[in-house]
Amino acid sequence: MPESQFGQLRHQPRVLLGPGPSNLHPRIFQAMSSPILGYLDPDFLALMDDTMVLLRRVFQTENELSITLPGTGMAAMEAAICNVVEPGDKVIVGIHGFFGQRMADIVERHGATPIKVEVNFGEVIEADQISDALDAYPDAKMVGIVHGETSSGIGQPLEEIGRLVRERDKLFLVDTVCSLGGADIAVDQLLVDICYSSGQKCIGGPAGISCITLNDRARSVIDARSQSPDTWYFDLGLIQEYWLGRGAYHHTAPGPMIYAIREALRMIDEEGLPARVERHQRCGDLLKFGLRDLGLQLFGDPENRLPMLTCVMIPDGVDDVAVRKRLLKEYRIEIVGGFGQLKGKAWRIGLMGYSAQEANVHYLLAALAEILG
């Protein structure tokens, strides 16, 4: 057999301190290397059952339908929206960053009308703003909002909005792609009807798998649709028959990805969710203190900055790309630049999952101190 013209991968490991993916614990790699099982193998079905139990714990919910989906967090965002909305529906979307806008875009692509409640980057949406939108559009079907806005490093308070949405008898959809596994997201207590997240951030797994939970209120709305969702792959009515019914083939489940997220969820369970939340907060506080000590300015509302994603302004006269290239080349540290109006003006630094370690914070701060002089 002739040798392939393509060589083996030779890249060196990085310290991943961007907005995701994050570094993986060795246990995750070990889990991913487990033997492949068929999608109806009894051992694989048992792994799926374990995964649902562990997902309920991290979502802090009793929802039966708490499952994984193939694809990144955007797959879960699309599934959450396209299973609920029908052509002509209205959805109130709170926008305080890039991913709130993406949520509105997906609503529109599926034939519904997004009612945008927008605030500036770095701010949070007030419950009164959602209340005003519901007053103006009483026939809205759902309210969607991003909890941890990866583009700005701001965490959206949910409790008051959750009570308001439930009082108006609408569905409450929350994106926790950035924050689940590193923040206290008590889905049932916060009256969230649909919540989703992604594997590669605070949960501590790989990119390419996401998770979603829906309560009975949301499932009844989906069951009452006048027509099937305009998707087959993300039709939760079909997917749940595989996860809950055990008899219906839908897709070939990505075994190694499910092994990985199950192991990541096991590690959350072993650490204890309160301790894990405290670790992310402690590392985030240490980073913010160190950045200010270097004379750098943090972005956004000080009362609502996320612990796991910090947005810091680039000093005048400093070349954004040059600094990030030097961090990667000389220190093998990855941080990421800003989105939208913050492009070229800010860096986004993530401390998520296995990457949320004090040693990583000290290493990055030392590297930045040397580069910035």
Side-chain angles (χ1 to χ4, degrees):
M1 293 285 292
E3 289 189 8
S4 169
Q5 62 177 311
F6 303 105
Q8 291 183 330
L9 296 175
R10 295 188 180 87
H11 60 268
Q12 297 296 314
R14 270 70 160 163
V15 180
L16 296 175
L17 301 181
S22 299
N23 291 113
L24 298 181
H25 190 281
R27 283 174 55 179
I28 307 302
F29 291 110
Q30 184 176 10
M32 292 177 73
S33 67
S34 299
I36 298 297
L37 296 170
Y39 65 90
L40 290 179
D41 187 295
D43 286 348
F44 191 70
L45 297 180
L47 290 172
M48 292 168 63
D49 287 339
D50 287 351
T51 302
M52 286 191 286
V53 171
L54 291 164
L55 281 173
R56 291 182 193 115
R57 291 179 184 176
V58 75
F59 277 120
Q60 299 179 64
T61 184
E62 298 297 322
N63 294 344
E64 180 187 33
L65 191 58
S66 301
I67 62 175
T68 69
L69 294 171
T72 62
M74 293 304 93
M77 178 187 282
E78 186 135 26
I81 292 168
C82 70
N83 278 272
V84 171
V85 303
E86 299 185 68
D89 284 343
K90 297 182 182 69
V91 177
I92 294 169
V93 181
I95 301 174
H96 62 110
F98 178 88
F99 289 96
Q101 181 59 55
R102 181 171 287 182
M103 186 182 286
D105 291 344
I106 293 175
V107 166
E108 192 167 28
R109 283 173 179 258
H110 288 281
T113 301
I115 309 302
K116 300 179 182 180
V117 178
E118 298 186 67
V119 297
N120 294 328
F121 257 45
E123 298 178 1
V124 297
I125 298 156
E126 302 296 336
D128 287 347
Q129 294 174 281
I130 300 296
S131 179
D132 290 344
L134 286 167
D135 288 341
Y137 298 93
D139 57 341
K141 194 173 193 177
M142 182 165 67
V143 174
I145 204 161
V146 175
H147 171 254
E149 182 48 80
T150 315
S151 63
S152 65
I154 296 299
Q156 171 65 46
L158 298 174
E159 188 170 0
E160 192 174 352
I161 295 176
R163 286 198 303 268
L164 170 65
V165 174
R166 183 63 60 88
E167 288 169 2
R168 302 294 186 95
D169 198 27
K170 310 299 182 184
L171 292 183
F172 189 27
L173 165 66
V174 176
D175 175 310
T176 62
V177 167
C178 182
S179 51
L180 188 73
D184 184 16
I185 311 291
V187 165
D188 289 354
Q189 182 179 326
L190 293 168
L191 305 178
V192 177
D193 298 296
I194 308 172
C195 189
Y196 60 86
S197 191
S198 190
Q200 79 274 16
K201 301 198 180 192
C202 292
I203 287 177
I209 190 165
S210 54
C211 51
I212 190 168
T213 186
L214 297 87
N215 63 17
D216 289 342
R217 296 180 76 248
R219 293 172 71 182
S220 66
V221 169
I222 294 172
D223 290 343
R225 292 177 60 101
S226 61
Q227 58 188 29
S228 297
D230 59 355
T231 177
W232 183 91
Y233 197 62
F234 294 133
D235 186 331
L236 292 173
L238 299 176
I239 294 173
Q240 72 178 359
E241 290 303 314
Y242 175 49
W243 279 86
L244 304 179
R246 291 294 185 269
Y249 166 75
H250 181 262
H251 64 274
T252 301
M257 305 300 284
I258 293 178
Y259 302 161
I261 198 169
R262 174 184 175 273
E263 188 65 17
L265 292 167
R266 285 184 67 224
M267 294 183 68
I268 294 174
D269 202 51
E270 291 168 10
E271 183 177 5
L273 189 56
R276 191 178 183 90
V277 170
E278 192 278 330
R279 171 165 62 86
H280 280 79
Q281 186 68 59
R282 183 176 69 252
C283 289
D285 289 346
L286 181 64
L287 173 65
K288 290 174 176 62
F289 178 85
L291 291 171
R292 285 192 293 259
D293 200 43
L294 289 175
L296 302 180
Q297 178 185 351
L298 303 180
F299 176 75
D301 178 4
E303 298 299 317
N304 292 292
R305 289 174 180 147
L306 292 167
M308 68 285 299
L309 196 288
T310 297
C311 197
V312 58
M313 305 307 293
I314 300 169
D316 290 341
V318 171
D319 187 318
D320 167 26
V321 176
V323 169
R324 289 190 284 117
K325 281 185 175 180
R326 188 172 170 192
L327 278 172
L328 194 60
K329 182 178 180 181
E330 297 182 20
Y331 302 90
R332 295 181 188 156
I333 297 174
E334 178 188 78
I335 65 172
V336 174
F339 262 144
Q341 68 188 61
L342 294 179
K343 186 174 182 179
K345 300 178 181 179
W347 292 314
R348 291 179 298 142
I349 303 171
L351 295 167
M352 302 176 181
Y354 189 48
S355 292
Q357 301 181 37
E358 291 185 24
N360 286 340
V361 177
H362 291 303
Y363 183 40
L364 172 64
L365 291 172
L368 284 175
E370 183 171 324
I371 292 171
L372 296 176

